[in-house]
Amino acid sequence: MVTKKVYVSNNGQGYDEVLSEAEKYAEYRNLTGRKKIHIRLLAEELMGMVETIAGNFYSYFWIEDDDDKPEIYRLHLKANVNMDGQIRDVFLDASTSGKNAAAKGIMGKLRDIFQTYMIGFKDTDNVSYSEPYPGYSCFTEYGLEPFSSSNLWTLSRYKENVSKNKDERNLEDWDELEKSIIANLADDVSVGIEGDSVEMIITKNSAE
């Protein structure tokens, strides 16, 4: 099933409707107790990230699952990568160094990655993509490729790389993972390009 697609912006528009859709979905799939709380928390975390995105930002939010595996649901946030000059300048300023120093915590990193993707492959000549975070490896020598399993950023890959390289340099990243609501509740989070849009997908298995 696919829920209603809700228009959301970073000025708060659509937030209440997003939470309402999460509640309706939980009721439809008989998610109660902690499972119902989990889907609301994931939606709240996603909306909290949207609120911190710079410039005039808008997107669509919805939840979907497959009828043959209804226990696995996905929260989508999809935005068009076309933007005005002002917001592009804001994102480029944050990205030319390869890492946004203001991106704190997992949601801050996700916001930073999402914003960088919004710049799109049209600006790859102007931006230095030097793996700002472990697992951030979706940029190829040809620029941004279509959204696929081989070239998107995923939380699971990020967790794996931080865990494998848990040296002094990555202790802060590991600490952020352990404290993050989304890192502990979501089974995975992916960010990538699909056509002319950038999309974030939070996947959760409610059976676990």
Side-chain angles (χ1 to χ4, degrees), residues 131-163:
E131 293 210 35
Y133 310 110
Y136 188 90
S137 57
C138 52
F139 296 97
T140 72
E141 61 181 320
Y142 305 108
L144 277 171
E145 292 185 344
F147 196 176
S148 74
S149 60
S150 63
N151 59 30
L152 52 78
W153 186 95
T154 66
L155 181 61
S156 58
R157 188 186 304 162
Y158 175 79
K159 284 182 177 180
E160 181 180 358
N161 287 338
V162 171
S163 179

Side-chain angles (χ1 to χ4, degrees), residues 177-197:
L177 279 170
E178 291 194 324
K179 293 178 179 178
S180 169
I181 291 175
I182 200 163
N184 284 288
L185 290 184
D187 287 284
D188 206 0
V189 181
S190 60
V191 187
I193 295 291
E194 182 180 26
D196 292 328
S197 300

